[in-house]
Amino acid sequence: MKQFFRNLQSLHIKLVIIYVLLIVIGMQIIGLYFTNTLEQELTGNFQDNIETQVELIDTRINELYNEYGDDQNALNDEVQSLLSEYGNRPEIEEIRFVNSDNILIATSRISNESNIGSRIEAPLTEEAISTGTRNDEIYVNVNQDNQRVWLLNQPVVQEGQVLGAVYVSSNIETVYQQLDAINNTFIIATVISLIITIILGIFIARTITRPITDMRNQALLMSEGDYTSRVKIYSSDEIGELAGSFNMLSKRVQEAQANTESEKKRLDSVITHMSDGIIATDRKGRVRIVNDMAMDMINMYGENIYGENMLELLRLDEDMILEDIQEMNESQLLFFDKDDEEITIRTNFSTIVKDTGFINGYIAVLHDVTEQERIDNERREFVANVSHELRTPLTSMRSYIEALQEGAWEDDTLAPKFLGVTREETDRMIRLVEDLLQLSRMDNEAEELSREIVDFNMFLNRIIDRFEMTHKGEVDFVRNIPDTPIFTEIAVDKVGQVLDNVISNAIKYSNVEDKRVEFHIKQNRLYNRMTVQIKDNGMGIPASKVDRVFERFYRVDKGRARKMGGTGLGLAISKEIIEAHDGKIWANSVEGHGTTVFINLPCETFEGDEWDV
């Protein structure tokens, strides 16, 4: 039933119904006008015919009154003969002549001849005689199958005196039967014309609704994202022009959609591959767009991030609300835990505002400034360390110089001692400045390395021999160095500086009572790499600090290191030199059991004959 009513609401059915209703209404108006006019015409002709006969009868009765005068019987006979002559016509049922006293004088109906000479009770006839005017009436005779009868009373007047009235009863049913036959014919013609009209209406409506239906189907396809179909043009009229315009619109929308999709893909690609994190929300702060970088920064993944409140994801919901973003001019520093490390994120907020001033959403741009903050901290720490390292000897030198100025130079015992300390502090500052200059040159890659291929085993043995001579009897040097040569391309002076620094530290921090330094060399022929291990038996380094010993100015025990004359830059310089050789240096330590420094360098593989040449 619902489908039936839905079909009735279609444009095709509406056009057919409207077309049929217009035809029906037109035909009904025409039929009504035609029927009324025909009825008036037929009944008028019928009544005119009867009235003509009545006029003739009226004239003849006047003549008979003039001829017979007082001979009433002869007059009555002539009138009877006259009415019988006119009463033989099929449309006339009865003709009477009633005199002025309402006495029936003559009648054309044989069944009523017995009433001749008697008074007639006929109100209309009496009215015509008394008023001298004609009257008529149509009534339905229930005794004759409800046939319609027209009654006419025509007064007979002679010289202003009413002689009587002619009463005519005529069967007008034949006229209405003709009208019914004509109406039936008209109804049949109307039905036939309606059938033809409906058939034509369906075809005509189809020619109108077919392109409209095609446009509707195309609009539905467009709403689903299909812009490739086109509407067929059936004619060159207004509907055909509309179909052509619709096809042009579909083409333009397809091009616009393609451009939009292209721009969207380009924008998605840009956002996805940005080094910064992007979070875009609606006006209520719910996340609508977020790239992988942002999810990686805040350490949240998956589709469940969409629809979440941006401030809650950034852990700012307790400190601010969305309205604060409009007035915010400064960025926010956020801290998140990622892979057991704390990362620092600088967040800038902006508001998406329409031309009407209505806020449409918010955007947060996340910058990972962890490395920048680390570098800034290292720079500040470096400046502080340099200032401290310079201030300590300068303060000491100033104190001794002031003492000499105040008269200590005259003391033969104190003066040489004070001058010796001043010289040591000066040498210490010189070493510090030289180390800083060397680090600066290596950072700026301004120092070129003059490399040569050496037998590293022989090279290391010479350095150990030198330390054995300078620390003879003080330190036990244990060598685990293979006899097979291991060749590597190095800058001899720079790598020698690294080994001197590492071995010196091992000697410094070895056990005071039993100093021992071990050397091990291993070669990995598969990867053409070699590893040198230098191990002491000292106090070791706490596990939390072992990774920082290669930082500039970092000291595990600052007081002891400064007392031993270290600048805190030796291992930092060693790291720079080794990395310049495409190598790695690191440390491993167990507190209370000594420290091992590892140096990994690339090595060369030579055939025996090739090296001999």
Side-chain angles (χ1 to χ4, degrees):
M1 184 60 70
K2 291 182 179 179
Q3 184 65 31
F4 174 74
F5 287 108
R6 187 178 294 111
N7 292 333
L8 289 180
Q9 295 176 358
S10 67
L11 180 61
H12 187 265
I13 299 298
K14 288 180 179 179
L15 286 176
V16 173
I17 292 176
I18 292 174
Y19 184 66
V20 171
L21 287 178
L22 289 176
I23 297 299
V24 169
I25 292 173
M27 294 188 68
Q28 289 299 320
I29 294 174
I30 294 172
L32 182 62
Y33 175 77
F34 174 77
T35 302
N36 290 336
T37 303
L38 183 62
E39 180 180 0
Q40 293 176 4
E41 187 70 21
L42 291 177
T43 55
N45 291 336
F46 182 84
Q47 292 174 352
D48 289 344
N49 185 28
I50 299 299
E51 289 175 354
T52 301
Q53 297 181 35
V54 171
E55 290 293 337
L56 293 175
I57 295 173
D58 184 0
T59 302
R60 182 59 181 161
I61 291 176
N62 275 302
E63 292 176 354
L64 290 176
Y65 266 91
N66 291 331
E67 290 179 7
Y68 294 98
D70 297 332
D71 190 356
Q72 190 65 37
N73 291 328
L75 177 62
N76 292 343
D77 291 338
E78 290 295 334
V79 172
Q80 179 64 38
S81 176
L82 176 65
L83 296 185
S84 297
E85 179 182 355
Y86 280 96
N88 292 329
R89 298 189 178 186
E91 67 273 12
I92 296 177
E93 292 185 352
E94 181 183 8
I95 300 178
R96 301 177 188 172
F97 177 69
V98 181
N99 62 13
S100 57
D101 296 328
N102 292 323
I103 301 300
L104 178 62
I105 301 300
T107 179
S108 63
R109 179 177 292 180
I110 298 174
S111 59
N112 286 336
E113 289 181 355
S114 59
N115 294 325
I116 295 175
S118 61
R119 185 177 179 84
I120 298 300
E121 297 293 336
L124 292 178
T125 304
E126 293 178 0
E127 179 182 350
I129 295 173
S130 60
T131 60
T133 57
R134 189 188 68 176
N135 59 56
D136 64 305
E137 179 187 21
I138 296 178
Y139 79 99
V140 177
N141 190 349
V142 295
N143 297 325
Q144 295 183 358
D145 298 330
N146 296 322
Q147 292 186 355
R148 283 175 281 264
V149 177
W150 183 49
L151 301 179
L152 174 63
N153 293 280
Q154 174 69 35
V156 179
V157 181
Q158 189 179 53
E159 296 179 357
Q161 182 180 359
V162 177
L163 301 179
V166 177
Y167 165 86
V168 179
S169 173
S170 57
N171 187 357
I172 201 173
E173 184 66 27
T174 55
V175 174
Y176 288 98
Q177 289 177 353
Q178 292 178 3
L179 287 175
D180 291 340
I182 294 172
N183 287 333
N184 291 334
T185 303
F186 184 78
I187 291 172
I188 293 173
T190 301
V191 172
I192 295 174
S193 64
L194 282 177
I195 295 174
I196 297 174
T197 300
I198 291 173
I199 296 173
L200 292 177
I202 292 174
F203 284 102
I204 293 173
R206 183 173 177 81
T207 59
I208 297 175
T209 59
R210 179 183 296 176
I212 297 177
T213 302
D214 292 345
M215 285 186 279
R216 182 200 64 180
N217 295 334
Q218 175 61 19
L220 293 176
L221 292 175
M222 290 174 62
S223 66
E224 296 174 357
D226 183 5
Y227 304 98
T228 58
S229 301
R230 295 292 181 265
V231 178
K232 184 178 180 180
I233 300 176
Y234 297 94
S235 61
S236 58
D237 54 5
E238 290 83 354
I239 295 180
E241 293 177 357
L242 176 61
S245 300
F246 190 85
N247 287 336
M248 182 62 67
L249 174 63
S250 179
K251 182 179 179 181
R252 296 286 178 82
V253 172
Q254 182 181 4
E255 293 175 353
Q257 182 67 17
N259 292 334
T260 302
E261 289 294 331
S262 177
E263 293 297 329
K264 183 177 182 296
K265 290 180 180 179
R266 187 179 294 111
L267 179 61
D268 290 342
S269 178
V270 170
I271 292 177
T272 300
H273 296 89
M274 283 182 64
S275 59
D276 295 332
I278 298 294
I279 299 177
T281 73
D282 57 14
R283 60 186 182 88
K284 294 184 178 180
R286 294 172 296 194
V287 175
R288 289 291 176 261
I289 299 175
V290 57
N291 64 353
D292 295 339
M293 185 60 68
M295 289 190 287
D296 185 64
M297 288 182 182
I298 63 178
N299 201 23
M300 291 189 66
Y301 305 92
E303 296 294 332
N304 57 346
I305 193 174
Y306 295 96
E308 295 293 328
N309 186 277
M310 177 181 67
L311 295 181
E312 292 181 359
L313 292 177
L314 299 179
R315 303 174 186 174
L316 293 173
D317 52 315
E318 296 182 358
D319 301 326
M320 57 184 294
I321 59 177
L322 291 174
E323 286 73 12
D324 296 335
I325 296 178
Q326 306 174 38
E327 302 175 357
M328 184 178 297
N329 297 321
E330 298 180 354
S331 58
Q332 298 286 324
L333 280 180
L334 307 178
F335 302 94
F336 289 89
D337 294 328
K338 179 182 176 183
D339 299 332
D340 298 330
E341 294 183 3
E342 186 179 69
I343 63 173
T344 305
I345 299 176
R346 186 179 300 277
T347 306
N348 295 321
F349 294 96
S350 61
T351 305
I352 304 174
V353 183
K354 292 185 176 180
D355 295 337
T356 58
F358 181 77
I359 296 176
N360 197 32
Y362 303 92
I363 293 179
V365 181
L366 311 181
H367 310 271
D368 188 349
V369 294
T370 304
E371 186 65 20
Q372 179 181 348
E373 289 292 320
R374 186 186 65 80
I375 293 174
D376 290 342
N377 290 333
E378 288 181 355
R379 185 182 296 111
R380 288 189 293 268
E381 186 177 350
F382 178 76
V383 173
N385 287 331
V386 171
S387 301
H388 180 73
E389 292 296 333
L390 290 175
R391 185 176 66 249
T392 300
L394 287 173
T395 302
S396 178
M397 291 172 60
R398 180 178 180 179
S399 299
Y400 284 104
I401 291 173
E402 288 178 351
L404 291 172
Q405 286 179 340
E406 292 175 357
W409 64 275
E410 297 178 350
D411 190 331
D412 295 336
T413 303
L414 293 178
K417 182 178 180 181
F418 285 1
L419 290 173
V421 173
T422 304
R423 182 177 179 177
E424 291 177 359
E425 296 296 337
T426 303
D427 292 339
R428 180 180 172 187
M429 285 192 295
I430 291 173
R431 290 196 304 271
L432 176 61
V433 172
E434 288 178 351
D435 289 344
L436 290 174
L437 290 174
Q438 184 176 1
L439 280 174
S440 177
R441 288 194 298 268
M442 299 192 70
D443 287 341
N444 296 325
E445 298 182 355
E447 188 171 5
E448 296 183 1
L449 298 178
S450 179
R451 304 189 187 190
E452 58 181 285
I453 298 177
V454 299
D455 180 356
F456 195 85
N457 294 342
M458 186 182 298
F459 173 68
L460 181 59
N461 279 320
R462 285 201 302 265
I463 295 176
I464 298 173
D465 291 341
R466 176 161 48 85
F467 275 96
E468 280 185 337
M469 291 185 65
T470 56
H471 296 82
K472 190 174 182 179
E474 299 177 4
V475 182
D476 183 16
F477 294 94
V478 180
R479 309 186 193 193
N480 185 10
I481 301 175
D483 296 332
T484 305
I486 299 175
F487 297 101
T488 181
E489 187 177 12
I490 59 174
V492 176
D493 293 339
K494 297 298 180 182
V495 176
Q497 180 182 351
V498 172
L499 293 175
D500 286 344
N501 190 12
V502 175
I503 296 173
S504 296
N505 286 338
I507 295 173
K508 288 179 185 179
Y509 298 107
S510 291
N511 193 317
V512 178
E513 297 178 356
D514 181 20
K515 290 182 178 291
R516 185 178 73 256
V517 180
E518 300 177 8
F519 298 89
H520 302 272
I521 297 180
K522 293 182 180 180
Q523 182 181 12
N524 187 334
R525 295 183 180 275
L526 180 63
Y527 295 101
N528 291 331
R529 306 287 294 187
M530 56 167 289
T531 303
V532 181
Q533 301 180 25
I534 302 174
K535 180 180 180 182
D536 63 53
N537 63 341
M539 65 187 70
I541 303 172
S544 60
K545 300 179 179 180
V546 70
D547 293 333
R548 300 190 60 189
V549 295
F550 296 96
E551 296 179 6
R552 300 174 185 184
F553 292 110
Y554 184 80
R555 296 186 180 92
V556 179
D557 187 348
K558 295 184 180 180
R560 181 181 177 187
R562 188 174 292 110
K563 183 177 180 181
M564 293 181 177
T567 62
L569 296 175
L571 289 179
I573 295 174
S574 299
K575 181 180 180 183
E576 296 287 344
I577 293 174
I578 294 300
E579 289 180 351
H581 284 79
D582 298 325
K584 294 181 180 179
I585 183 171
W586 70 95
N588 188 9
S589 180
V590 178
E591 196 170 4
H593 294 81
T595 302
T596 303
V597 175
F598 298 85
I599 300 174
N600 182 272
L601 290 170
C603 60
E604 303 290 340
T605 302
F606 295 100
E607 297 292 338
D609 296 339
E610 181 181 355
W611 179 249
D612 292 339
V613 174

